Structures are given as C-alpha cells and as structure tokens.
Amino acid sequence: LSLEQAMLSQTLFSVAELHRIMEHPVVKAMLSKLVLFNPETQASGFWQDGHLLNAEGEKITLKASDKLLIAHPSHLFYAVQWDLYQKYLFDKEIKQPFKQVFRELYVPTKDELETSNRSERYQGHQVQPQKTVALLRGRGWTVNYEEGLQRVYHKEGFRATIYAAADWYTPSDVEAPTLEYVVFYNLKDGKEVPMKEINPVIFSEVMRDVDLVVSVAHVGGVDPEASHSTMQMRGALARESARLFKLTNVEVKERYILVKTEHGDYSLHLGSGMISKGGLQINVVAVQSQHRGRVFLPFVDDDPKTAEIISKMKLLSEGKIY
C-alpha cells in the first residue's frame, strides 16, 4: 500500500502503528513530509516524535486511542486549514513525495448538491477513446460493455460511472466520443446516489480523473484550457512563490497573474502560461531541461507547465522579460 493510496483510501492508523511505521527510515523520510489528520478532533500536523506539529508551529499531543489518516486536501479544506499548510510548505521548503497539500481539489457545485444526482461539468468535451481508456484503466477504472467507464468503491457501496456518446471498443479514434455526465450508483439497489452523500475525497478524485482525461485525451491534440481546479492550485503556488521571492509587483487573480513593471503591465494566464501586454500576446518559449527544478515546487511530481508559469512570473516581475 503506497502512501498516496493510503491517503485516497482514507486508511486510519493508530498511534502505535505510526510509531512502528516511522522506524523504517525510507518510509519515515516520506511520511514525515505529509500532513496527518484526526477525523474526530479535526487536528492536523506533521508527525514529530509521537506528536503532531501543525501549520502554526503548535505541538499537538496524541492519545494512544487516536486514529490518524494521511490528509487529503478536502479534509484540510473543510477544516479551514488548507491555505495554512500551503504557506507552511513554502516557508519550510518542504518537498512532498506526491501532491498532497497542493493537490487539485474538486468540490460539488451548488447545483450538483441541490438539484441533481449527476455532474455535467465536463459535458460536451470530446476525447480520444483509446487514450481515455488507457488513462483511466491505470487509475482503477474498468470498461463496462453496456454503460461505459466505471469505478467501483466496494467499501463505500457505490460505483462511479462516466457516460458518453461513445463506443469505447472502436479500433480507431475515428469517431470521438462526447462526454455527457458523471453519476454514482448504489451497488445494492442500482439507484443514483445524491452528490451530497458521496465522500468528499472520492468525489474530488473522480472529478480529478475526468479532468485528467479532458486535459490529456482531448480531441485534436490540443489541450483545452486548464480546469478551474488546476488554475486554483497554480494560483496558490504563484501567491506563495511571490511571497517567498518578495515580488511586490505581482497580483494573482482567478485566471491570471498580473505583473506591473516599468516596461508595462503584463498578464500571465494560469492555464496556458501565455503572456500578453496591452492585449498583444508575447511569445516566450519555455526551455524544457533538467535545470527547471531550480524553481521550487513543494511536491516531487513532474509538473513542467506549473514550473514554467512560476518561472515566467518571476522573470516578468524582475524585468527580465519585456
């Protein structure tokens, strides 16, 4: 069981188990950089000699009966602690073994919660069937001959299904399927499960998988604009990077980074990474190399587009692009 999988399955660990796990030097090196969370008390923090050290530097005493899990962003979001840990990772320059604190988070919309048992947020996107199936199979999804792509959650008692106007078994990508909606079914009676009853971690990860498909397997070989959740994550990274680099002429908006310099005002898109000035696009080519790691990102995952955007923000702010 990998640490990331333990986070996704919301595996609970006793304090005694964590003590034993931390005796393994390799696991300790990784787990000590991950935020742990107590679902009962909402306490969170990094494991430190049998205690938790939270984002405000406070030491939290643990009882022998406490059960902890590896926090998912949804736990920290609903406990109003997410942004505190984002700031903490930058301040301490902690590089997590996988995207945890800066993982893309997807929460149900008001419409999904109140008026529908289905999510239609990706409706209308055309995807390449072979690439879609390959991507999702690697993430625990299966192809059902009658209903399409689905993932079963036996412990929770339901399955997620992605519906599309598609034949997932076509030997070629001649006819690109169009995504329609995502729905959850009860395994016992086959009825649709309301979105508000779906565990927030599972909802977020299902939508993250669909978002991956829309981004990577989009028809035409051109990625669509990055999703709202991806841009939120990049915006948070940009804010913390600007604070770390002491860039006072940077303002992060919902979809753009605005940079004011003596050469003029620039807009850097959080999705595409394109730079514009006065409405005109400026062509800046990103050089992909082994040296891109010079820009600190608080996770090990390879994310060249985010690194490119943070680098461009810094160069614009310092007047090195104009």
Side-chain angles (χ1 to χ4, degrees):
L1 182 69
S2 71
L3 294 177
E4 185 172 14
Q5 188 55 46
M7 177 188 76
L8 299 180
S9 62
Q10 301 171 76
T11 303
L12 288 167
F13 299 95
S14 68
V15 173
E17 285 174 326
L18 286 167
H19 272 291
R20 287 196 298 273
I21 291 169
M22 285 297 185
E23 290 175 0
H24 193 293
V26 175
V27 178
K28 180 181 180 180
M30 295 187 289
L31 188 54
S32 61
K33 295 177 181 177
L34 297 172
V35 181
L36 302 178
F37 184 77
N38 185 329
E40 286 193 12
T41 65
Q42 303 283 289
S44 62
F46 298 93
W47 179 271
Q48 192 176 80
D49 300 323
H51 298 82
L52 289 183
L53 184 69
N54 70 15
E56 295 170 310
E58 300 168 341
K59 191 172 278 190
I60 300 169
T61 303
L62 296 172
K63 303 192 298 286
S65 59
D66 283 340
K67 299 279 189 179
L68 304 175
L69 49 75
I70 298 173
H72 184 272
S74 63
H75 297 126
L76 303 177
F77 173 76
Y78 289 111
V80 199
Q81 300 168 8
W82 196 22
D83 59 331
L84 299 177
Y85 283 102
Q86 290 178 340
K87 180 176 182 294
Y88 187 89
L89 288 191
F90 267 89
D91 286 345
K92 304 298 182 183
E93 293 199 5
I94 296 171
K95 182 166 284 193
Q96 297 192 295
F98 60 85
K99 274 187 182 177
Q100 184 200 25
V101 170
F102 279 95
R103 194 180 193 85
E104 298 86 352
L105 175 65
Y106 301 78
V107 297
T109 63
K110 184 179 179 182
D111 181 62
E112 288 168 343
L113 287 173
E114 295 180 359
T115 63
S116 175
N117 293 340
R118 302 176 176 184
S119 172
E120 298 177 344
R121 62 176 70 187
Y122 296 104
Q123 188 178 55
H125 283 283
Q126 282 189 297
V127 295
Q128 302 168 49
Q130 290 182 329
K131 190 176 283 188
T132 296
V133 170
L135 278 169
L136 291 181
R137 273 184 173 154
R139 301 171 78 86
W141 293 75
T142 58
V143 182
N144 180 284
Y145 281 92
E146 295 179 356
E147 298 190 347
L149 294 157
Q150 55 186 230
R151 183 168 182 178
V152 179
Y153 294 88
H154 293 285
K155 187 172 73 173
E156 292 79 9
F158 59 79
R159 62 179 165 86
T161 302
I162 302 171
Y163 280 99
D167 177 5
W168 298 109
Y169 301 93
T170 180
S172 68
D173 289 346
V174 173
E175 191 172 344
T178 301
L179 298 181
E180 295 179 344
Y181 57 87
V182 179
V183 65
F184 295 86
Y185 290 107
N186 188 303
L187 289 178
K188 290 183 179 178
D189 58 22
K191 293 181 179 178
E192 293 184 4
V193 182
M195 292 292 175
K196 61 184 178 183
E197 295 179 16
I198 302 300
N199 181 288
V201 173
I202 292 174
F203 179 89
S204 182
E205 291 301 313
V206 166
M207 294 304 160
R208 189 172 185 259
D209 286 349
V210 182
D211 202 28
L212 175 73
V213 166
V214 169
S215 300
V216 177
H218 199 261
V219 165
V222 179
D223 289 353
E225 188 177 281
S227 73
H228 181 66
S229 294
T230 299
M231 288 195 285
Q232 275 187 320
M233 181 270 289
R234 287 177 181 161
L237 286 166
R239 270 188 290 274
E240 293 305 325
S241 295
R243 186 177 59 82
L244 186 70
F245 297 138
K246 296 181 171 59
L247 307 179
T248 57
N249 57 343
V250 168
E251 183 180 2
V252 181
K253 298 287 191 180
E254 186 176 359
R255 306 171 76 85
Y256 295 89
I257 300 172
L258 303 179
V259 184
K260 295 185 177 183
T261 75
E262 61 183 33
H263 303 294
D265 296 349
Y266 297 86
S267 174
L268 173 60
H269 195 272
L270 285 165
S272 64
M274 297 306 298
I275 300 171
S276 60
K277 177 184 178 184
L280 297 175
Q281 186 174 303
I282 298 174
N283 188 29
V284 178
V285 179
V287 178
Q288 305 296 337
S289 77
Q290 61 184 354
H291 300 298
R292 68 167 175 257
R294 289 175 181 171
V295 174
F296 171 72
L297 292 178
F299 44 81
V300 172
D301 303 42
D302 188 32
D303 190 352
K305 178 59 72 175
T306 298
E308 174 195 328
I309 289 169
I310 302 299
S311 297
K312 285 179 175 178
M313 176 189 74
K314 189 171 186 290
L315 292 170
L316 280 169
S317 177
E318 294 171 347
K320 294 176 182 175
I321 298 177
Y322 55 88

